[in-house]
Amino acid sequence: DGGITQSPKYLFRKEGQNVTLSCEQNLNHDAMYWYRQDPGQGLRLIYYSQIVNDFQKGDIAEGYSVSREKKESFPLTVTSAQKNPTAFYLCASHKQGADEQFFGPGTRLTVL
Amino acid sequence: QKEVEQNSGPLSVPEGAIASLNCTYSDRGSQSFFWYRQYSGKSPELIMFIYSNGDKEDGRFTAQLNKASQYVSLLIRDSQPSDSATYLCAVNADSGTALIFGKGTTLSVSS
Protein backbone atom coordinates (compact mmCIF):
# COMPACT_ATOMS: atom_id res chain seq x y z
CA ASP A 1 0.00 0.00 0.00
CA GLY A 2 2.10 2.88 -1.32
CA GLY A 3 1.72 6.47 -0.27
CA ILE A 4 2.89 9.41 1.76
CA THR A 5 2.34 9.47 5.49
CA GLN A 6 2.59 12.43 7.82
CA SER A 7 2.51 12.37 11.57
CA PRO A 8 1.11 13.49 13.82
CA LYS A 9 -2.19 14.62 12.32
CA TYR A 10 -2.60 17.30 14.97
CA LEU A 11 0.19 18.91 16.98
CA PHE A 12 0.10 21.48 19.73
CA ARG A 13 3.15 23.46 20.67
CA LYS A 14 3.91 25.87 23.41
CA GLU A 15 5.70 29.08 22.55
CA GLY A 16 9.47 28.61 22.58
CA GLN A 17 9.39 24.90 21.77
CA ASN A 18 10.84 23.18 18.74
CA VAL A 19 8.69 20.49 17.16
CA THR A 20 9.40 17.99 14.38
CA LEU A 21 6.85 16.92 11.78
CA SER A 22 7.35 13.56 10.15
CA CYS A 23 6.97 12.79 6.43
CA GLU A 24 7.60 9.31 5.01
CA GLN A 25 6.97 7.95 1.51
CA ASN A 26 7.26 4.43 0.09
CA LEU A 27 6.69 5.46 -3.52
CA ASN A 28 10.39 5.50 -4.36
CA HIS A 29 10.03 9.18 -5.24
CA ASP A 30 13.19 11.21 -5.55
CA ALA A 31 12.02 14.70 -4.63
CA MET A 32 10.20 15.75 -1.50
CA TYR A 33 8.68 19.08 -0.50
CA TRP A 34 7.27 20.89 2.50
CA TYR A 35 4.52 23.47 2.09
CA ARG A 36 2.65 25.59 4.54
CA GLN A 37 -1.00 26.58 4.09
CA ASP A 38 -2.74 29.32 6.05
CA PRO A 39 -6.54 29.78 6.02
CA GLY A 40 -7.77 31.08 2.68
CA GLN A 41 -4.27 30.98 1.26
CA GLY A 42 -2.46 28.90 -1.27
CA LEU A 43 0.49 26.68 -0.53
CA ARG A 44 3.83 28.32 0.18
CA LEU A 45 7.07 26.39 -0.21
CA ILE A 46 9.25 25.97 2.88
CA TYR A 47 11.98 23.54 1.79
CA TYR A 48 12.51 20.94 -0.88
CA SER A 49 14.96 18.12 -1.55
CA GLN A 50 15.68 16.48 -4.88
CA ILE A 51 18.20 13.92 -3.64
CA VAL A 52 19.39 12.42 -0.38
CA ASN A 53 21.64 14.66 1.74
CA ASP A 54 20.72 17.75 -0.26
CA PHE A 55 17.94 20.30 0.19
CA GLN A 56 17.11 23.88 -0.81
CA LYS A 57 15.26 26.71 0.87
CA GLY A 58 11.89 27.70 -0.46
CA ASP A 59 10.14 31.05 -0.20
CA ILE A 60 9.53 30.94 3.57
CA ALA A 61 12.38 28.89 5.07
CA GLU A 62 13.13 31.18 8.02
CA GLY A 63 12.40 29.46 11.34
CA TYR A 64 12.35 25.98 9.80
CA SER A 65 14.94 23.26 9.29
CA VAL A 66 14.97 19.92 7.44
CA SER A 67 17.12 16.87 6.85
CA ARG A 68 17.16 14.23 4.14
CA GLU A 69 19.23 11.31 5.42
CA LYS A 70 17.08 8.71 3.70
CA LYS A 71 15.21 8.77 0.41
CA GLU A 72 11.98 7.83 2.16
CA SER A 73 12.06 10.46 4.89
CA PHE A 74 12.02 14.27 4.98
CA PRO A 75 11.29 15.57 8.50
CA LEU A 76 10.56 19.25 9.13
CA THR A 77 11.50 20.98 12.37
CA VAL A 78 9.60 24.10 13.31
CA THR A 79 11.89 26.07 15.58
CA SER A 80 11.13 28.70 18.18
CA ALA A 81 12.42 31.26 15.68
CA GLN A 82 9.30 30.80 13.56
CA LYS A 83 7.05 33.58 14.81
CA ASN A 84 3.72 32.42 13.40
CA PRO A 85 3.89 28.65 13.14
CA THR A 86 0.17 27.90 13.44
CA ALA A 87 -0.75 26.46 10.03
CA PHE A 88 -1.51 23.34 8.01
CA TYR A 89 1.74 21.67 6.92
CA LEU A 90 1.78 19.55 3.80
CA CYS A 91 4.46 17.20 2.56
CA ALA A 92 4.61 16.22 -1.10
CA SER A 93 6.78 14.09 -3.35
CA HIS A 94 7.32 13.33 -6.99
CA LYS A 95 9.33 10.91 -9.09
CA GLN A 96 12.27 12.01 -11.21
CA GLY A 97 11.12 12.70 -14.75
CA ALA A 98 7.53 13.35 -13.71
CA ASP A 99 6.15 16.73 -12.70
CA GLU A 100 3.00 15.90 -10.81
CA GLN A 101 3.35 16.03 -7.04
CA PHE A 102 1.38 13.95 -4.61
CA PHE A 103 0.54 15.08 -1.12
CA GLY A 104 0.43 13.48 2.28
CA PRO A 105 -2.59 14.00 4.55
CA GLY A 106 -1.01 16.97 6.36
CA THR A 107 -0.23 18.00 9.93
CA ARG A 108 -2.17 20.77 11.59
CA LEU A 109 0.09 22.64 14.01
CA THR A 110 -1.32 24.96 16.64
CA VAL A 111 0.75 27.13 18.95
CA LEU A 112 -0.81 27.56 22.38
CA GLN B 1 8.25 37.15 -8.50
CA LYS B 2 6.46 34.29 -10.20
CA GLU B 3 2.76 34.41 -9.48
CA VAL B 4 -0.35 32.37 -10.09
CA GLU B 5 -3.66 34.19 -9.82
CA GLN B 6 -7.11 32.73 -9.22
CA ASN B 7 -10.45 34.29 -8.38
CA SER B 8 -11.11 33.23 -4.78
CA GLY B 9 -14.85 32.89 -5.36
CA PRO B 10 -17.02 31.43 -4.13
CA LEU B 11 -18.24 30.20 -7.49
CA SER B 12 -21.76 28.88 -7.11
CA VAL B 13 -23.37 26.63 -9.74
CA PRO B 14 -26.48 24.43 -9.69
CA GLU B 15 -26.17 20.67 -9.90
CA GLY B 16 -25.75 19.52 -13.49
CA ALA B 17 -24.30 22.80 -14.73
CA ILE B 18 -20.80 23.46 -16.09
CA ALA B 19 -18.36 25.02 -13.64
CA SER B 20 -15.54 27.07 -15.15
CA LEU B 21 -12.45 27.79 -13.07
CA ASN B 22 -9.76 30.13 -14.31
CA CYS B 23 -6.10 30.76 -13.59
CA THR B 24 -3.44 33.11 -14.95
CA TYR B 25 0.30 32.89 -14.42
CA SER B 26 3.09 35.41 -14.71
CA ASP B 27 6.08 33.33 -15.80
CA ARG B 28 5.95 32.92 -19.57
CA GLY B 29 8.50 30.10 -19.25
CA SER B 30 6.13 27.89 -17.28
CA GLN B 31 5.91 24.44 -18.78
CA SER B 32 3.58 22.30 -16.69
CA PHE B 33 0.15 23.14 -15.31
CA PHE B 34 -1.82 21.33 -12.66
CA TRP B 35 -5.25 21.38 -11.08
CA TYR B 36 -5.71 20.10 -7.54
CA ARG B 37 -8.92 19.68 -5.60
CA GLN B 38 -8.89 20.29 -1.86
CA TYR B 39 -11.77 19.45 0.43
CA SER B 40 -12.03 21.40 3.66
CA GLY B 41 -9.47 20.17 6.19
CA LYS B 42 -7.89 17.74 3.74
CA SER B 43 -4.77 17.74 1.59
CA PRO B 44 -4.80 18.60 -2.14
CA GLU B 45 -5.63 15.83 -4.60
CA LEU B 46 -4.34 15.96 -8.18
CA ILE B 47 -7.14 16.11 -10.74
CA MET B 48 -5.39 16.89 -14.00
CA PHE B 49 -2.22 18.20 -15.55
CA ILE B 50 -1.58 19.68 -18.97
CA TYR B 51 1.56 20.59 -20.89
CA SER B 52 0.44 21.56 -24.38
CA ASN B 53 -1.81 24.28 -25.73
CA GLY B 54 -5.38 23.17 -26.23
CA ASP B 55 -7.76 20.94 -24.33
CA LYS B 56 -7.25 17.78 -22.32
CA GLU B 57 -10.28 15.79 -21.21
CA ASP B 58 -10.61 13.26 -18.41
CA GLY B 59 -14.15 12.19 -17.64
CA ARG B 60 -16.18 15.21 -16.54
CA PHE B 61 -13.05 17.38 -16.33
CA THR B 62 -11.44 19.37 -19.14
CA ALA B 63 -8.26 21.38 -18.72
CA GLN B 64 -7.60 24.15 -21.23
CA LEU B 65 -4.24 25.84 -21.77
CA ASN B 66 -3.42 28.98 -23.72
CA LYS B 67 0.27 29.80 -23.33
CA ALA B 68 0.08 32.95 -25.44
CA SER B 69 -2.46 34.40 -23.01
CA GLN B 70 -0.80 32.72 -19.99
CA TYR B 71 -4.14 31.28 -19.06
CA VAL B 72 -5.25 27.85 -17.89
CA SER B 73 -8.77 26.77 -17.02
CA LEU B 74 -10.66 23.80 -15.66
CA LEU B 75 -14.17 22.94 -16.80
CA ILE B 76 -16.31 20.57 -14.76
CA ARG B 77 -19.29 19.21 -16.67
CA ASP B 78 -22.43 17.90 -14.97
CA SER B 79 -21.32 19.40 -11.65
CA GLN B 80 -22.22 17.40 -8.56
CA PRO B 81 -22.50 18.49 -4.91
CA SER B 82 -19.45 16.29 -4.26
CA ASP B 83 -17.45 18.64 -6.50
CA SER B 84 -17.84 21.37 -3.87
CA ALA B 85 -14.28 22.09 -2.81
CA THR B 86 -11.41 24.51 -3.31
CA TYR B 87 -9.58 24.11 -6.62
CA LEU B 88 -5.89 25.00 -6.68
CA CYS B 89 -4.04 25.89 -9.85
CA ALA B 90 -0.29 25.21 -9.86
CA VAL B 91 2.51 25.72 -12.38
CA ASN B 92 6.18 24.96 -12.63
CA ALA B 93 8.79 26.48 -14.86
CA ASP B 94 11.24 23.60 -15.04
CA SER B 95 10.88 19.90 -14.59
CA GLY B 96 11.83 18.87 -11.11
CA THR B 97 11.30 22.23 -9.48
CA ALA B 98 8.71 23.09 -6.91
CA LEU B 99 5.22 24.08 -7.96
CA ILE B 100 3.87 27.60 -7.54
CA PHE B 101 0.30 27.57 -6.32
CA GLY B 102 -2.55 30.02 -6.63
CA LYS B 103 -4.71 30.72 -3.60
CA GLY B 104 -7.53 28.62 -4.93
CA THR B 105 -11.13 29.06 -6.05
CA THR B 106 -13.92 27.79 -3.85
CA LEU B 107 -16.65 26.00 -5.80
CA SER B 108 -20.11 25.38 -4.35
CA VAL B 109 -22.51 23.09 -6.22
CA SER B 110 -26.07 23.25 -4.98
CA SER B 111 -28.53 20.37 -5.35
Side-chain angles (χ1 to χ4, degrees):
Chain A
D1 191 19
I4 305 171
T5 58
Q6 291 186 242
S7 62
K9 186 174 181 179
Y10 299 97
L11 184 57
F12 298 90
R13 190 194 92 171
K14 292 182 180 179
E15 296 226 13
Q17 282 183 334
N18 292 355
V19 291
T20 297
L21 283 58
S22 169
C23 178
E24 304 275 335
Q25 54 95 4
N26 61 3
L27 301 167
N28 198 33
H29 284 179
D30 306 284
M32 298 184 73
Y33 302 82
W34 275 105
Y35 294 91
R36 167 182 172 143
Q37 187 176 35
D38 294 283
Q41 300 295 312
L43 279 64
R44 292 185 290 167
L45 181 66
I46 304 173
Y47 268 99
Y48 66 102
S49 168
Q50 295 181 313
I51 57 172
V52 174
N53 292 322
D54 188 49
F55 47 83
Q56 287 78 41
K57 292 182 179 179
D59 300 321
I60 55 166
E62 184 175 351
Y64 300 97
S65 65
V66 294
S67 63
R68 186 88 186 274
E69 298 177 0
K70 299 186 300 182
K71 187 176 184 178
E72 302 79 17
S73 179
F74 191 40
L76 174 73
T77 296
V78 184
T79 75
S80 57
Q82 170 50 235
K83 298 306 179 188
N84 297 294
T86 294
F88 189 37
Y89 289 86
L90 290 157
C91 178
S93 69
H94 81 76
K95 190 168 181 57
Q96 188 76 17
D99 290 328
E100 56 269 35
Q101 294 183 17
F102 298 94
F103 285 84
T107 292
R108 195 167 298 277
L109 172 64
T110 302
V111 173
L112 303 173
Chain B
Q1 182 82 3
K2 299 175 183 177
E3 294 182 337
V4 176
E5 299 287 341
Q6 295 180 257
N7 187 326
S8 63
L11 173 66
S12 297
V13 300
E15 184 174 359
I18 295 175
S20 177
L21 304 161
N22 305 313
C23 172
T24 59
Y25 57 94
S26 63
D27 184 4
R28 190 169 287 279
S30 298
Q31 297 183 358
S32 309
F33 307 86
F34 304 85
W35 284 101
Y36 286 83
R37 176 175 63 199
Q38 186 176 26
Y39 292 112
S40 181
K42 303 296 185 182
S43 62
E45 171 192 9
L46 181 66
I47 300 175
M48 292 191 68
F49 56 90
I50 186 168
Y51 299 112
S52 304
N53 276 330
D55 295 358
K56 179 181 179 182
E57 187 174 319
D58 184 0
R60 296 187 296 113
F61 299 96
T62 298
Q64 299 175 317
L65 175 61
N66 183 326
K67 289 187 176 182
S69 300
Q70 295 176 237
Y71 177 91
V72 58
S73 65
L74 179 69
L75 300 178
I76 306 175
R77 291 182 299 280
D78 188 24
S79 295
Q80 301 297 309
S82 59
D83 294 325
S84 298
T86 297
Y87 289 80
L88 301 171
C89 174
V91 306
N92 73 354
D94 299 304
S95 178
T97 61
L99 299 180
I100 301 170
F101 284 83
K103 294 183 178 180
T105 298
T106 300
L107 172 66
S108 177
V109 181
S110 55
S111 56

